């Protein structure tokens, strides 16, 4: 479960002054559901997700992840979160196994428990064939699977995906989309950001439209359709943004 | 602080470093090869260029030669000096490195010197230019020898020996074995080299640890990693331990590099 309350992040820029990248955002994501954060480039999607993953600290407002406050208990929050984006790269000189084991150990997994978990994930994600190959020698699709194993090693109840299919080819993107669906079927809370309408339409149970740091509209696809009178998500998005501008 | 977590990060950094060719090169290979190559190489090049200068000799111009016939003759007879005819453009030729130095005798030089009147001989040269400075030191040696001859002659005229001016001489004599002399010279340099090597060897791992994480995009991975009980401070501790290890290896490798070309046991 994720609950964001008036979540705000202001960046100070010498030339541009204060920039409100995330401006008083409120939303809830339920376990077993996928919440899609839809917005154009620079809308505030990545900043929102980084706040939830405790990579950034909010300027004001807060969020609770599995009941833990991102301001007060960031370490416990991180232990409950798996964060995946195209920016979360792997250590190229480590093998797939070493990478996953490293993040497992950082989570407190050791010995047989760690080995069992790694084997389980490698079997699930079909990593076995290249488990002992260095990450910089893997294809993009293989790297994505290792990244997924890395995010899942501690079996987090909350998954955060920041434009996870950006720049990937069709096959690699399908692996990710399939994985996001699996997370939902396993009862995890999933939040996902994208500017690709079709992806959001396919995957998400709830959609939030973010523009210039503000959450302009949110609800199920059916609710958004009803509210705007538009059937297509792209039209819903454009209309919502235009009304706000 | 959790030592186990620091250990996890340290072991990962160790594996990562040992697979990085750039780090291996800068912490182990370069210091071992660099010192012998640099010291022997530079010494060789310097000796070669000095030999070349000596072999080719110095080109000198004598200005007002008739004012000092005796001294001019001494200069002419000196080995390694080639005299070219006097001309007005000596300064330009020195600037163009076609002439290494010009020696100017003032009018009535020899007559004034013989009459105990002090005169000034000028050596025109190119300051900082090696071959010009070699010529200057050669001319200074000739002038110094001529001055000594004059002083000795004057003393004799007055019934005095040259020992009047130098009542005693001093002489230094080394009693230490040659290997100890060499060891001492290197030993003096050693602490400075170690400091230099520490920084040099750890530079590549330090860059890799900080900018490298950001460049490769792994910084977000580690910051977002579910650090169950692991404070980010541990990442710094693990990283610093990795740098200390790089310092150590660079220092040891550098020491071995120095010892390879030492003259004797230290």
């Amino acid at each position: 479960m994720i609950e964001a309350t008036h979540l705000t992040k202001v960046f100070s820029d010498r030339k541009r002054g204060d920039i409100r990248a995330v401006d008083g955002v409120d939303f809830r994501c339920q376990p077993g559901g996928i919440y899609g954060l839809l917005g154009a480039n620079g809308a505030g999607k990545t900043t929102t997700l980084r706040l939830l993953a405790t990579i950034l600290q909010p300027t004001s407002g807060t969020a609770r992840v599995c009941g833990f406050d991102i301001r007060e208990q960031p370490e416990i929050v991180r232990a409950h979160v798996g964060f995946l984006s195209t920016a979360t790269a792997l250590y190229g000189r480590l093998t797939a196994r070493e990478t996953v084991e490293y993040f497992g150990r950082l989570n407190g997994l050791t010995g047989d428990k760690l080995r069992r978990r790694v084997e389980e994930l490698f079997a699930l994600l079909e990593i076995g064939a290249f488990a002992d190959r260095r990450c910089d020698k893997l294809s993009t699709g293989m790297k994505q699977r290792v990244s997924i194993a890395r995010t899942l090693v501690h079996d987090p109840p909350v998954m955060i995906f920041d434009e996870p299919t950006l720049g990937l080819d069709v096959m690699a993107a399908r692996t990710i989309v399939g994985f996001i669906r699996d997370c939902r079927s396993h009862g995890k809370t999933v939040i996902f950001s994208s500017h690709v309408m079709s992806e959001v339409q396919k995957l998400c149970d709830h959609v939030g439209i973010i523009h210039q740091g503000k959450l302009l509209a949110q609800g199920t696809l059916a609710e958004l359709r009803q509210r705007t009178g538009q059937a297509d998500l792209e039209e819903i998005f454009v209309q919502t943004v235009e009304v706000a501008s | 602080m959790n030592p186990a977590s620091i250990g996890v990060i340290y072991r990962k950094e160790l594996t990562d470093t040992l697979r990085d060719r750039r780090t291996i090169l800068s912490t182990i290979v370069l210091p071992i090869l660099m010192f012998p190559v640099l010291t022997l190489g530079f010494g060789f090049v310097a000796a070669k260029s000095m030999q070349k200068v000596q072999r080719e000799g110095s080109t000198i111009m004598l200005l007002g030669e008739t004012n000092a016939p005796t001294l001019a003759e001494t200069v002419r007879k000196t080995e390694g000096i080639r005299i070219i005819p006097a001309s007005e453009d000596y300064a330009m030729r020195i600037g163009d490195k076609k002439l290494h130095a010009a020696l100017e005798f003032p009018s009535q030089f020899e007559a004034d010197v013989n009459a105990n009147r002090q005169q000034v001989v000028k050596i025109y040269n190119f300051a900082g230019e090696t071959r010009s400075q070699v010529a200057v030191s050669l001319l200074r040696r000739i002038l110094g020898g001529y001055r000594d001859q004059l002083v000795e002659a004057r003393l004799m005229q007055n019934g005095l020996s040259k020992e009047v001016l130098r009542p005693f001489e001093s002489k230094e004599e080394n009693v230490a074995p040659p290997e100890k002399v060499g060891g001492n010279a290197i030993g003096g340099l050693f602490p400075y080299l170690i400091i230099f090597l520490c920084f040099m060897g750890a530079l590549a791992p330090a860059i890799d640890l900080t900018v490298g994480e950001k460049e490769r995009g792994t910084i977000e991975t580690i910051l977002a990693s579910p650090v169950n009980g692991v404070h980010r401070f541990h990442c710094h501790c693990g990283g610093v331990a990795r740098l200390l290890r790089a310092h150590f290896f660079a220092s040891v490798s550098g020491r071995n590099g120095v010892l390879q070309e030492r003259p004797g046991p230290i």
Side-chain angles (χ1 to χ4, degrees):
Chain A
M1 160 85 92
I2 301 172
E3 288 173 281
T5 320
H6 306 307
L7 196 60
T8 303
K9 180 69 185 177
V10 180
F11 291 109
S12 294
D13 186 276
R14 211 179 288 170
K15 283 183 185 163
R16 293 154 65 199
D18 284 352
I19 300 154
R20 300 183 78 81
V22 178
D23 195 359
V25 165
D26 296 274
F27 62 85
R28 281 166 76 98
C29 314
Q30 301 290 349
I34 300 176
Y35 187 98
L37 212 48
L38 187 61
N41 292 333
K45 305 182 296 288
T46 298
T47 309
T48 307
L49 299 187
R50 284 180 178 169
L51 288 169
L52 295 177
T54 75
I55 294 170
L56 294 174
Q57 269 215 325
T59 309
S60 63
T62 191
R64 295 182 81 78
V65 176
C66 296
F68 302 104
D69 193 287
I70 58 166
R71 280 170 169 275
E72 307 297 328
Q73 299 148 299
E75 285 185 20
I76 306 174
V77 169
R78 281 197 286 274
H80 287 79
V81 164
F83 182 75
L84 183 72
S85 81
T86 39
T88 49
L90 300 166
Y91 293 102
R93 293 189 289 265
L94 296 190
T95 64
R97 187 183 302 281
E98 285 165 348
T99 304
V100 180
E101 282 181 355
Y102 173 58
F103 285 96
R105 286 195 186 95
L106 286 181
N107 281 293
L109 297 174
T110 50
D112 282 348
K113 200 175 167 190
L114 175 65
R115 267 191 294 278
R116 269 201 307 276
R117 180 65 184 150
V118 171
E119 288 310 325
E120 193 182 302
L121 285 169
F122 281 11
L124 186 77
L125 295 159
E126 295 170 2
I127 292 175
F130 54 89
D132 296 309
R133 221 188 290 170
R134 277 167 60 155
C135 288
D136 54 9
K137 307 277 180 207
L138 303 179
S139 70
T140 312
M142 290 169 173
K143 279 182 190 163
Q144 278 301 324
R145 279 191 266 171
V146 177
S147 284
I148 293 169
R150 191 266 304 162
T151 9
L152 280 180
V153 69
H154 58 303
D155 198 16
V158 172
M159 295 299 299
I160 301 174
F161 298 95
D162 180 24
E163 302 198 78
T165 57
L166 189 74
L168 298 183
D169 64 23
V170 180
M171 296 313 286
R174 275 174 75 92
T175 313
I176 297 284
V177 170
F179 167 60
I180 295 171
R181 283 209 180 97
D182 285 349
C183 287
R184 173 171 57 191
S185 60
H186 284 90
K188 292 183 189 294
T189 306
V190 180
I191 183 164
F192 159 82
S193 80
S194 182
H195 61 259
V196 183
M197 306 291 161
S198 57
E199 216 168 64
V200 175
Q201 204 156 0
K202 260 196 298 189
L203 277 170
C204 300
D205 304 302
H206 283 79
V207 178
I209 296 174
I210 190 165
H211 182 63
Q212 292 178 343
K214 287 192 165 71
L215 200 59
L216 300 179
Q218 60 179 322
T220 61
L221 265 173
E223 284 168 351
L224 291 176
R225 279 181 183 131
Q226 197 180 20
R227 225 176 288 160
T228 55
Q230 300 285 352
D232 186 53
L233 184 58
E234 190 172 317
E235 295 305 322
I236 295 172
F237 176 76
V238 172
Q239 189 179 320
T240 310
V241 169
E242 278 178 355
V243 168
S245 309
Chain B
M1 203 164 100
N2 184 347
S5 310
I6 295 171
V8 168
I9 294 161
Y10 175 75
R11 277 194 296 278
K12 175 252 159 195
E13 294 291 346
L14 180 68
T15 313
D16 206 10
T17 308
L18 292 176
R19 288 177 190 168
D20 181 21
R21 277 189 212 152
R22 191 177 47 179
T23 306
I24 296 294
L25 204 71
S26 71
T27 50
I28 297 168
V29 180
L30 205 62
I32 288 174
L33 292 178
M34 195 185 70
F35 280 106
V37 169
L38 280 188
T39 41
L40 297 177
F42 278 139
F44 180 75
V45 170
K48 274 276 171 202
S49 55
M50 194 46 76
Q51 274 172 13
K52 191 183 168 208
V53 168
Q54 281 165 357
R55 201 170 48 245
E56 288 176 3
S58 299
T59 310
I60 308 286
M61 187 185 281
L62 299 176
L63 304 168
E65 192 180 347
T66 49
N67 300 327
T70 316
L71 183 52
E73 192 54 26
T74 313
V75 175
R76 277 182 181 280
K77 282 182 179 167
T78 307
E79 203 184 333
I81 285 185
R82 192 166 67 91
I83 301 291
I84 59 163
S87 71
E88 292 292 316
D89 62 347
Y90 62 89
M92 201 176 74
R93 288 201 202 187
I94 291 172
D96 292 343
K97 299 186 185 176
K98 286 174 182 158
L99 179 64
H100 300 131
L103 188 63
E104 187 185 55
F105 304 106
S107 73
Q108 301 298 314
F109 172 80
E110 202 161 310
D112 282 349
V113 165
N114 289 336
N116 290 345
R117 284 191 296 272
Q118 198 184 42
Q119 277 286 14
V120 177
V121 177
K122 278 188 182 166
I123 306 171
Y124 297 108
N125 67 93
F126 187 153
E129 204 273 313
T130 313
R131 301 197 60 176
S132 184
Q133 294 315 302
V134 168
V136 169
S137 56
L138 192 59
L139 288 175
R140 280 190 178 284
R141 209 164 54 233
I142 297 166
L143 294 176
Y146 183 62
R147 190 164 37 221
D148 289 348
Q149 275 177 26
L150 287 176
V151 169
E152 203 174 327
R154 285 176 192 178
L155 288 170
M156 278 175 73
Q157 274 173 13
N158 292 294
L160 298 166
S161 74
K162 64 178 179 180
E163 280 71 31
V164 169
L165 293 179
R166 294 180 75 87
F168 66 90
E169 294 288 345
S170 62
K171 197 180 171 193
E172 292 163 23
E173 199 170 317
N174 172 47
V175 291
E179 62 267 28
K180 279 202 171 182
V181 175
N184 188 51
I186 291 177
L189 278 174
F190 213 67
Y192 300 103
L193 288 175
I194 294 293
I195 293 167
F196 165 72
L197 280 167
C198 279
F199 286 106
M200 196 195 69
L203 199 62
I207 292 170
D208 193 57
L209 194 70
T210 50
V211 186
E213 288 269 7
K214 197 163 163 53
E215 251 179 23
R216 291 190 300 265
T218 48
I219 194 139
E220 201 160 302
T221 314
I222 189 75
L223 290 179
S225 66
V227 278
N228 185 9
V230 180
H231 192 274
R232 288 171 200 206
F233 171 70
H234 293 167
C235 295
H236 297 301
C237 287
V240 168
R242 171 192 174 181
L243 286 185
L244 289 175
R245 186 198 62 237
H247 280 310
F248 173 75
F249 276 118
S251 310
V252 169
S253 308
R255 178 187 178 276
N256 293 338
V258 171
L259 295 185
Q260 274 182 47
E261 35 101 18
R262 76 194 195 280
I266 296 176

